[in-house]
């Protein structure tokens, strides 16, 4: 696919040149997305991003596949755990592995990540123990991991709130780096990545965060995973133009990339992070992908979309296309793919054992964590809950007797 949205590498914060290498405006509704690795497993070329793809060696490409396969196996296990009553809820990611692994692997240690609640693949790239994620979905923790250890923030369940947090953090990095430079320190420059979905793009928080990011030239990359369905609302209802086109209104680059092409996602994200770290301001990336499964395990996608659509997207599967490439180029043999499967099963066993050994959640503890001190409204709500729960005690005894 052609490169009609390639940003000029020399963009700065003042004389914006929002054009592709072919002279076409970035974000043009008729423009095609950046794609390097097609569904057929063949690698194409791009005047800018092929140079980034050439930096990848066979070991990294095999690593991309292993990561995607591992997080998909994790997703399957977490879904099963929820169905078996071990988790209160689960948020699947199947279909979005390339968008997450490609972008996550493009970050550097000093970069800071603000996820929403579906970025399990990004968590993997930041060396977060995936079993720790499940504490949140089991209802015994507001997170489960220390974000300072991996520069991977806690999940944000409030839609789009993390975009504001990310810009504020990026502005803090910006000021810290200026102080460091003034003192003669030579520390590596950092950037922030904010993940959000197509549905969240309709929230005012996203608009406000982009206004601030543009105004202060903040080193932040907005990474939107356009998975086509904001729960049950299709993308065409959310926006009439590509989401990447919105960046043009704020005065910074917007790039639409094939979100099922891990090589292109990595290249585009690497370019965007370099752009941000070098002080040239924010970038919006729209990863055009698809949520194969449900929005959450409480959702039934068959109520609002057809199976033909899902089948069409399964033909664009991110793992299948990279496997085709690795096999055709002789970069991976059968022993490699078998080992990947074994590693995935090992991770699943670890996640299952860890989850089953966790304490059972007590909803009463949630009432105690709302405020630091006792609050009359919370006490009133707890009393209502206790009275409501007591109404089921007789039913339990009767069922046990039967």
């Amino acid at each position: 696919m052609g490169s009609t949205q390639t940003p000029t590498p020399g963009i700065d914060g003042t004389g914006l040149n929002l054009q592709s290498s072919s002279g076409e405006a970035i974000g043009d509704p008729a423009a095609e997305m950046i794609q390097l690795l097609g569904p057929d497993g063949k690698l194409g070329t791009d005047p800018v991003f092929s140079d980034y793809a050439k930096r990848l060696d066979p070991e990294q490409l095999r690593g991309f596949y292993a990561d995607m396969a591992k997080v998909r196996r994790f997703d399957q296990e977490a879904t099963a755990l929820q169905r078996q009553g071990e988790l209160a809820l689960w948020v699947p990611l199947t279909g979005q592995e390339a968008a997450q692994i490609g972008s996550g692997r493009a970050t550097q240690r000093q970069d800071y990540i603000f996820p929403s609640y579906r970025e399990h693949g990004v968590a993997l790239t930041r060396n977060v123990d995936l079993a720790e994620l499940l504490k949140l979905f089991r209802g015994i923790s507001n997170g489960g991991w220390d974000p300072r250890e991996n520069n991977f923030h806690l999940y944000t369940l409030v839609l789009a709130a993390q975009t504001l947090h990310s810009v504020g953090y990026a502005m803090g990095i910006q000021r810290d780096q200026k102080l460091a430079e003034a003192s003669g320190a030579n520390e590596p420059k950092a950037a922030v990545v904010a993940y959000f979905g197509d549905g969240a793009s309709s929230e005012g928080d996203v608009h406000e965060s982009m206004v601030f990011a543009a105004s202060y030239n903040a080193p932040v990359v907005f990474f939107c995973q356009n998975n086509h369905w904001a729960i049950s609302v299709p993308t065409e209802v959310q926006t009439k133009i590509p989401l990447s086109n919105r960046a043009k209104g704020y005065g910074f680059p917007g790039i639409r990339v094939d979100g099922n092409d891990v090589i292109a996602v990595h290249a585009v994200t690497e370019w965007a992070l370099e752009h941000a770290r070098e002080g040239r301001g924010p970038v919006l990336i729209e990863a055009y992908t698809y949520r194969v499964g449900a929005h959450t395990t409480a959702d039934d996608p068959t109520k609002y979309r057809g199976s033909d659509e899902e089948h069409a997207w399964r033909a664009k599967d991110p793992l299948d296309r990279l496997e085709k490439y690795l096999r055709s180029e002789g970069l991976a043999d059968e022993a490699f793919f078998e080992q990947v499967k074994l590693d995935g099963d090992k991770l699943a066993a670890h996640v299952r054992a860890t989850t089953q050994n966790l304490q059972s959640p007590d909803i009463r503890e949630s009432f105690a964590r709302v405020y630091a001190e006792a609050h009359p409204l919370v006490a009133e709500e707890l009393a209502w809950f206790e009275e409501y729960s007591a109404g089921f005690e007789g039913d339990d005894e009767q069922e046990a007797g039967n």
Side-chain angles (χ1 to χ4, degrees):
M1 191 171 285
S3 172
T4 55
Q5 283 190 299
T6 305
T8 302
I11 295 174
D12 58 33
T14 54
L16 287 170
N17 177 10
L18 299 181
Q19 289 187 335
S20 69
S21 58
S22 62
E24 188 174 18
I26 294 173
D28 188 316
E32 297 178 346
M33 72 186 78
I34 303 297
Q35 182 188 86
L36 294 174
L37 186 64
D40 58 1
K42 295 181 179 179
L43 190 64
T45 60
D46 180 274
V48 171
F49 295 112
S50 284
D51 289 340
Y52 286 84
K54 289 174 184 176
R55 300 176 184 178
L56 297 170
D57 57 36
E59 183 177 356
Q60 287 174 295
L61 292 172
R62 288 191 293 269
F64 287 169
Y65 182 87
D67 286 344
M68 291 193 295
K70 187 177 292 185
V71 77
R72 178 171 291 187
R73 181 66 182 87
F74 164 71
D75 191 32
Q76 293 168 347
E77 193 66 25
T79 299
L81 285 167
Q82 193 282 325
R83 297 304 189 201
Q84 294 161 9
E86 298 291 346
L87 303 177
L89 184 75
W90 180 242
V91 185
L93 63 62
T94 296
Q96 299 179 221
E97 294 89 352
Q100 296 193 15
I101 298 302
S103 59
R105 287 299 178 196
T107 63
Q108 296 179 4
R109 182 180 178 85
Q110 71 272 17
D111 297 326
Y112 198 93
I113 312 299
F114 282 89
S116 55
Y117 45 70
R118 199 188 302 272
E119 278 67 56
H120 322 315
V122 184
L124 174 68
T125 69
R126 302 300 290 188
N127 299 317
V128 175
D129 183 352
L130 296 186
E132 295 294 300
L133 300 180
L134 302 188
K135 291 181 179 179
L136 172 65
F137 296 97
R138 190 173 171 87
I140 61 172
S141 172
N142 290 326
W145 64 96
D146 185 346
R148 296 167 296 186
E149 293 182 359
N150 309 83
N151 280 7
F152 183 79
H153 206 68
L154 299 180
Y155 276 3
T156 303
L157 303 183
V158 179
L159 206 61
Q162 74 277 7
T163 59
L164 290 168
H165 305 159
S166 67
V167 174
Y169 197 96
M171 291 168 64
I173 286 178
Q174 190 179 53
R175 285 151 179 75
D176 287 346
Q177 288 179 167
K178 287 183 178 179
L179 290 173
E181 291 171 2
S183 65
N186 188 24
E187 299 178 357
K189 293 183 178 180
V192 173
V193 183
Y195 287 88
F196 60 100
D198 49 301
S201 71
S202 294
E203 294 287 323
D205 300 46
V206 173
H207 166 70
E208 293 165 7
S209 65
M210 291 187 180
V211 168
F212 267 85
S215 299
Y216 291 91
N217 218 38
V220 58
V221 174
F222 295 102
F223 195 94
C224 176
Q225 293 177 83
N226 180 357
N227 65 20
H228 281 71
W229 289 96
I231 304 183
S232 59
V233 179
T235 303
E236 56 264 27
V237 175
Q238 300 283 339
T239 179
K240 302 303 181 185
I241 59 173
L243 289 169
S244 58
N245 198 32
R246 293 185 179 180
K248 192 174 181 181
Y250 300 103
F252 56 81
I255 312 172
R256 174 179 267 197
V257 63
D258 182 348
N260 286 17
D261 173 1
V262 68
I263 297 177
V265 170
H266 185 273
V268 166
T269 308
E270 194 171 19
W271 178 90
L273 285 166
E274 288 178 1
H275 184 279
R277 292 192 205 101
E278 292 168 4
R280 290 186 283 164
V283 177
L284 169 62
I285 297 173
E286 177 194 357
Y288 198 73
T289 183
Y290 191 76
R291 188 195 78 217
V292 173
H295 177 71
T296 70
T297 47
D299 171 44
D300 180 5
T302 65
K303 300 295 185 183
Y304 53 81
R305 71 185 191 196
S307 58
D308 54 337
E309 178 180 306
E310 180 181 327
H311 293 324
W313 275 94
R314 284 190 180 277
K316 305 174 186 178
D317 186 87
L319 275 78
D320 288 349
R321 69 172 70 180
L322 184 56
E323 180 178 351
K324 291 174 185 175
Y325 178 72
L326 292 174
R327 289 183 183 277
S328 65
E329 295 296 316
L331 301 179
D333 56 17
E334 202 60 48
F336 165 77
F337 292 105
E338 183 60 30
Q339 186 60 51
V340 167
K341 184 179 183 305
L342 292 173
D343 291 342
D345 290 341
K346 182 179 179 180
L347 171 63
H350 163 67
V351 167
R352 175 168 289 275
T354 302
T355 302
Q356 291 178 333
N357 287 328
L358 293 173
Q359 68 191 75
S360 297
D362 183 355
I363 194 171
R364 292 165 182 81
E365 292 183 9
S366 299
F367 288 91
R369 296 196 193 115
V370 178
Y371 295 102
E373 300 177 358
H375 192 284
L377 180 59
V378 175
E380 179 183 338
E381 292 174 342
L382 176 58
W384 178 90
F385 172 76
E386 296 284 12
E387 181 181 357
Y388 175 78
S389 300
F392 293 95
E393 292 179 0
D395 296 339
D396 293 340
E397 294 175 1
Q398 183 178 3
E399 186 174 330
N402 295 335

